[in-house]
Amino acid sequence: MTAVQEPSAGSADTGGEIGRERRRKEDQRLITGRTRWTDNIALPGMLHLAMVRSPFAHAKILSIDTSEAKNATNVVDVVTGADLGEAQGACINAWAITEDQVTPPHLPMPTDRVAFAGEVVAVVVARSAAEARDAAELVDVEYDELPAALDLKHAATDEVLAHPDLGTNKSAFWRFDSAEAGTGGDVDAAIEKARTDGIVIEREYRQQRLIPAFMEPRSVVVDPTGEQITVWSATQVPHILRFAIAATTGVPESKIRVIAPDVGGGFGGKLQQTPEEMIAFAVARRLGRPVKFTETRSESLMTAHHGRDQWQKLTMSAEKDGTVTGLKVELLADLGAYVAIVGGGVPVLGAFMFNSIYKFPAYQFNCQTVLTNKTWTDAYRGAGRPEATFAIERLMDELAAELGEDPIEVRRRNWIHAEEFPFSTVAGLEYDSGDYEKATRRAMEMLGYDELRAEQKRRRESGDRVQLGIGVSTFTEMCGLAPSRVLGQLNYGAGGWEHASVRMLATGKVEVVTGASAHGQGHETAFSQIVADRLGVPFEDVEVLHGDTQVAPKGLDTYGSRSLVVGGEALVKAVDKVIDKARPLAAHLLEASVDDLEYSGGRFGVRGTDQGITIQELATAAFAAHSYPEDMEPSLDADATYDPVNFNFPHGTHLCAVEVDTETGQVSMRKYACCDDIGNIINPLIVAGQVHGGLVQGIAQALWEEAVFDDSGTLVSGSFTDYLLPTAADTISFDIDHTTSPSLTNTLGTKGVGEAGTIASTPAVVNAVVDAVRHLGIDDIAMPCTPERVWRAIQGVAGGGATEGAAMPHFDSSTGMEGTVDRTTGGAQ
């Protein structure tokens, strides 16, 4: 991979900490094993939990016999939902996207019916985790299996109901229409006009179901023995979890302390109030003893919420020269068995991004969310924006193919140009800054775009067995989940603000408290850089505290690329308050007028003299309070809450070259180059890590990952043997760079980066695969683009009659040898 670049011209570089490559403070304890995962926590007298889970996707619970399990060695209790009653609380939905949304009640342990395979029906409490798991096998549950709603399209017909008592599988229908909103024209009229004197492109795409597959499985420890009930959880959202527990159990928030210790990844998959957390909380209260539950990997894959899972139908109209005139989107979105904490709103986030960077005069978005008897879905890295970007970028390639033009040229004809910012979009958002031309030029240079196009032409003309494909993805996204007023208009159940505190300690050191809760993003390092730079103190003198509702009582946590652009801005406001509070004390001690003071590099100086005093010396003076202005309290500490006025909009151009063996369907990545514009950069090293990780996650959707259920609703990709995660050996080195268009909506000029790579890379790779074989008559291959699917697509257009069970060439990557293997197509329900 390329060396990380220093910030380009225009980026924030004060000569201090901002813009500097700093190794992460967090990494020392992480890589030396001195960290504290939730599963490492051991408390005196702690008991262990094992969950008894339904093997059926949909069934009545007729009886639960716990007698044999209760008599097992070292078993303390076996508990059902009926035993806990209201004490078990409920799992909440915080985003009802319509007033009439159909939302099934979601008990942590149901008492009468299970709605997906893996749902908890009982919990065994024992002195060790192994003994609890063994005893769980002895719980005898009698079920009456019911018909299950599994296929998304079929579920939308209501022929089989996921929840019979609701009478429908349709949860909510949400529409945005530019003509109704006053942001654009009538899309149906634009499409009809194009049918007679323009171009109409209609396509249907499948967003397969994915599993977040974080490195650390979910884990929870609950200690009810103190003045407060303390919950340790591998969660992204300690503050939201505390609220959800209190709101559904009746235990006052002041009596609940939630701690997110070091968390081994989340990707949205730990943005949840889980049934297991609620069960552990209720059982600990019931027994009056600490309890722990850590899921197995198979439990994680089966029951931690899934992501994506949409059918997307798009209709785009354009003039004969390729200028777009309208876009109509129709979605079916699978919610799974329950409406998760923000699950219903994930497709709605995509509603504002299908138009992407393009100047559509008319737009309509229609989304039907559907309940099925599968694991519930919710946010997964990008949350609605990757789905939207994939569809529109695939569609722009289809328009280019229809015109017989280069896909970049067609995009350039339709995108927003640099001089047009700020730009009000047809979806009702205002993009504040950007320069798509500059990012695209740089990405093309890095890839060697023109040279690869020439090579592609030569290979096609020669009939080469291995064809070259070049994929294009230009994107933007809405980051920094906020502002609160907008979220309120969307019926979201919380705000979008963030809170921060800056404490000046007696020794001159600085303690920073943030409501953003890290799980691998590098908050401790980047936030230290922001505070050190703005306050003018050494980087090493700043300590960042987070992830504990007792230490950081206010916050809305980490998701949606909001930590820096919302949490970081709250820090800036708090630091500025510290400086303002210190100013009169400095004037008092320097015997100078406040108006004569200048602040720079952590020091107040008297204008025109060499007199001065540092902020750290003032912290000591404030602590002592020996000499103090009479009307001033002896403290420099400050709090701040920041609620943005707008989202922020990173963008970029991602280009991918792949080679496709037309005899075996094998796809090999040749080169990947991307140029992102994420505004001003705090730490280029952290940014590079975020981009690389995001790229691999998005590429994995394109080529490898898929959650597959059988006809009875059982997850058959329930281990890493069947759910294919890429390793470093499966990917290539990436060439990354960035341009800089500072955000105009925050003082740091920053934009989100945590999800950018995932959003952009999936369509870049799929477009490359399709581009490699388009001349053979192929215009789509369903994700993941496995060798089998690519081979079958080629055979289909060649008249080879590829059918279920046909023998297909097989490429053994370990030996480089070819053979044949009998396979069937498979695929997600």
Side-chain angles (χ1 to χ4, degrees):
M1 59 187 69
T2 55
V4 179
Q5 303 292 315
E6 286 296 324
S8 305
S11 66
D13 186 354
T14 64
E17 287 295 333
I18 290 180
R20 181 177 178 181
E21 288 188 19
R22 278 279 192 184
R23 292 187 181 274
R24 300 196 322 174
K25 288 184 173 182
E26 304 90 323
D27 289 346
Q28 178 66 24
R29 69 173 187 273
L30 292 172
I31 64 178
T32 58
R34 296 181 181 275
T35 186
R36 198 178 198 197
W37 312 112
T38 303
D39 192 43
N40 291 345
I41 295 169
L43 302 176
M46 187 171 70
L47 302 172
H48 296 263
L49 308 184
M51 305 297 165
V52 180
R53 300 183 183 274
S54 167
F56 298 108
H58 195 199
K60 291 182 180 178
I61 303 171
L62 300 180
S63 65
I64 303 176
D65 183 353
T66 62
S67 57
E68 189 175 355
K70 284 182 175 178
N71 291 326
T73 303
N74 283 328
V75 169
V76 175
D77 202 356
V78 181
V79 183
T80 66
D83 294 329
L84 292 177
E86 293 183 359
Q88 68 173 311
C91 295
I92 65 172
N93 167 236
W95 196 350
I97 60 174
T98 63
E99 295 296 332
D100 60 351
Q101 175 177 288
V102 175
T103 308
H106 189 183
L107 294 177
M109 277 196 294
T111 58
D112 58 349
R113 184 176 56 86
V114 292
F116 71 97
E119 189 159 18
V120 180
V121 296
V123 56
V124 175
V125 188
R127 298 186 188 281
S128 73
E131 288 167 328
R133 287 193 294 268
D134 288 344
E137 299 290 332
L138 303 177
V139 177
D140 185 13
V141 185
E142 184 180 359
Y143 299 95
D144 179 14
E145 189 174 5
L146 300 171
L150 298 172
D151 179 82
L152 174 54
K153 286 187 175 180
H154 187 256
T157 68
D158 284 341
E159 290 183 25
V160 177
L161 296 178
H163 297 272
D165 54 314
L166 299 180
T168 182
N169 293 327
K170 299 182 182 71
S171 179
F173 178 78
W174 195 92
R175 167 180 284 178
F176 177 89
D177 187 284
S178 62
E180 295 173 2
T183 58
D186 185 326
V187 74
D188 290 323
I191 292 169
E192 286 308 307
K193 183 176 186 298
R195 291 191 191 279
T196 57
D197 59 2
I199 299 170
V200 175
I201 306 290
E202 296 180 286
R203 293 291 187 272
E204 188 169 284
Y205 298 119
R206 180 74 168 110
Q207 278 280 325
Q208 79 270 37
R209 180 177 280 241
L210 300 177
I211 303 175
F214 25 73
M215 184 177 290
E216 177 205 20
R218 297 174 304 166
S219 182
V220 58
V221 173
V222 181
D223 182 3
T225 60
E227 291 297 315
Q228 292 177 306
I229 303 173
T230 303
V231 180
W232 291 265
S233 181
T235 182
Q236 297 176 220
V237 288
H239 296 90
I240 292 171
L241 177 58
R242 181 179 66 165
F243 167 81
I245 293 172
T248 62
T249 64
V251 178
E253 272 187 274
S254 62
K255 294 297 184 182
I256 302 171
R257 178 183 185 183
V258 176
I259 301 170
D262 289 307
V263 177
F267 315 117
K270 292 175 182 171
L271 189 167
Q272 204 55 259
Q273 170 208 9
T274 70
E276 293 85 354
E277 288 166 331
M278 299 302 294
I279 292 167
F281 187 85
V283 170
R285 291 181 67 204
R286 172 186 172 94
L287 300 178
R289 293 179 61 179
V291 302
K292 176 195 286 188
F293 171 74
T294 300
E295 67 186 1
T296 64
R297 181 59 66 182
S298 60
E299 285 181 298
S300 178
L301 294 173
M302 179 171 58
T303 65
H305 79 246
H306 294 175
R308 313 288 191 249
D309 207 345
Q310 295 179 358
W311 276 105
Q312 307 170 312
K313 181 181 178 182
L314 282 81
T315 304
M316 181 167 67
S317 59
E319 297 175 1
K320 289 182 178 179
D321 68 353
T323 301
V324 297
T325 59
L327 178 66
K328 187 173 187 177
V329 178
E330 297 169 272
L331 290 190
L332 279 180
D334 192 342
L335 298 178
Y338 298 103
V339 189
I341 194 165
V342 295
V346 168
V348 172
L349 289 174
F352 303 100
M353 289 288 101
F354 273 91
N355 55 292
S356 189
I357 66 173
Y358 307 114
K359 295 182 286 189
F360 283 99
Y363 172 60
Q364 186 183 93
F365 172 90
N366 305 276
C367 177
Q368 179 67 62
T369 58
V370 179
L371 295 161
T372 63
N373 293 117
K374 291 182 179 178
T375 307
W376 30 314
T377 61
D378 207 329
Y380 173 56
R381 198 169 189 169
R385 288 100 78 204
E387 296 92 314
T389 301
F390 174 83
I392 188 60
E393 288 305 289
R394 290 286 296 112
L395 209 61
M396 293 303 291
D397 260 31
E398 295 306 301
L399 177 60
E402 178 73 19
L403 294 167
E405 293 188 19
D406 184 281
I408 288 181
E409 291 306 313
V410 173
R411 287 168 168 81
R412 183 177 284 120
R413 186 174 304 147
N414 288 288
W415 67 35
I416 304 157
H417 294 279
E419 64 273 13
E420 296 179 278
F421 288 96
F423 185 88
S424 296
T425 76
V426 72
L429 298 180
E430 182 172 282
Y431 297 171
D432 59 337
S433 66
D435 192 335
Y436 307 139
E437 298 98 324
K438 188 174 182 181
T440 301
R441 284 196 304 269
R442 179 62 184 131
M444 292 174 71
E445 292 170 4
M446 294 161 65
L447 188 77
Y449 187 83
D450 294 337
E451 294 84 351
L452 285 173
R453 283 292 182 200
E455 180 184 342
Q456 180 187 54
K457 182 180 179 183
R458 292 194 299 271
R459 288 199 189 192
R460 287 185 177 178
E461 290 173 348
S462 67
D464 198 322
R465 163 183 163 170
V466 178
Q467 288 291 314
L468 180 65
I470 303 167
V472 179
S473 174
T474 50
F475 84 102
T476 190
E477 61 154 327
M478 52 192 288
C479 282
L481 195 58
S484 298
R485 294 178 186 85
V486 174
L487 295 177
Q489 292 168 6
L490 293 173
N491 210 35
Y492 183 67
W497 52 266
E498 193 49 79
H499 186 79
S501 300
V502 175
R503 303 170 181 165
M504 298 301 300
L505 304 181
T507 58
K509 309 298 183 183
V510 185
E511 207 168 58
V512 172
V513 180
T514 174
S517 182
H519 47 282
Q521 294 88 345
H523 289 180
E524 294 173 35
T525 303
F527 287 177
S528 291
Q529 289 180 267
I530 291 171
V531 172
D533 194 271
R534 199 162 187 98
L535 197 56
V537 301
F539 170 79
E540 294 78 12
D541 285 355
V542 182
E543 185 77 15
V544 177
L545 307 177
H546 61 88
D548 183 339
T549 62
Q550 190 91 320
V551 174
K554 297 179 181 179
L556 285 174
D557 305 319
T558 295
Y559 40 86
S561 298
R562 69 187 303 274
S563 294
L564 175 60
V565 297
V566 186
E569 199 67 19
L571 277 178
V572 169
K573 290 172 66 70
V575 168
D576 289 349
K577 286 184 177 181
V578 167
I579 295 170
D580 287 343
K581 288 183 74 172
R583 191 177 298 275
L585 177 59
H588 175 76
L589 295 177
L590 293 171
E591 299 181 345
S593 168
V594 169
D595 295 335
D596 289 336
L597 294 185
E598 296 177 322
Y599 188 76
S600 177
R603 180 178 182 271
F604 283 102
V606 180
R607 190 178 291 109
T609 75
D610 59 0
Q611 287 184 289
I613 189 169
T614 69
I615 191 75
Q616 292 179 295
E617 291 171 331
L618 287 168
T620 303
F623 170 74
H626 293 162
S627 179
Y628 227 75
E630 291 184 1
D631 57 348
M632 182 179 176
E633 63 180 21
S635 170
L636 302 184
D637 300 349
D639 295 350
T641 301
Y642 175 67
D643 197 349
V645 297
N646 194 6
F647 301 99
N648 66 92
F649 302 94
H651 70 82
T653 298
H654 288 228
L655 303 176
C656 177
V658 303
E659 293 180 330
V660 175
D661 189 320
T662 58
E663 293 187 8
T664 67
Q666 182 76 20
V667 177
S668 302
M669 292 186 65
R670 164 104 167 251
K671 192 170 185 180
Y672 196 104
C674 63
C675 183
D676 290 304
D677 190 325
I678 56 169
N680 293 332
I681 291 175
I682 304 301
N683 186 322
L685 198 61
I686 290 177
V687 166
Q690 289 280 6
V691 172
H692 287 140
L695 291 178
V696 173
Q697 220 151 0
I699 293 167
Q701 178 175 8
L703 297 179
W704 298 299
E705 292 187 35
E706 182 175 27
V708 180
F709 291 81
D710 65 17
D711 291 340
S712 65
T714 301
L715 182 70
V716 298
S717 53
S719 74
F720 286 149
T721 301
D722 304 295
Y723 189 82
L724 184 57
L725 284 181
T727 68
D730 297 306
T731 61
I732 60 173
S733 294
F734 307 122
D735 294 323
I736 70 170
D737 201 354
H738 65 271
T739 54
T740 303
S741 302
S743 173
L744 305 180
T745 61
N746 63 71
T747 60
L748 290 170
T750 57
K751 303 176 183 180
V753 68
E755 297 161 301
T758 303
I759 290 168
S761 58
T762 306
V765 174
V766 175
N767 279 341
V769 174
V770 173
D771 184 60
V773 294
R774 187 181 289 277
H775 65 292
L776 302 177
I778 298 168
D779 65 6
D780 191 35
I781 298 170
M783 294 189 292
C785 298
T786 61
E788 179 178 1
R789 286 182 175 166
V790 175
W791 180 84
R792 289 189 184 281
I794 294 169
Q795 294 301 304
V797 297
T803 58
E804 297 286 324
M808 62 164 286
H810 171 61
F811 182 80
D812 186 338
S813 60
S814 64
T815 64
M817 301 296 291
E818 290 177 36
T820 60
V821 60
D822 289 329
R823 292 188 179 180
T824 55
T825 54
Q829 293 282 346

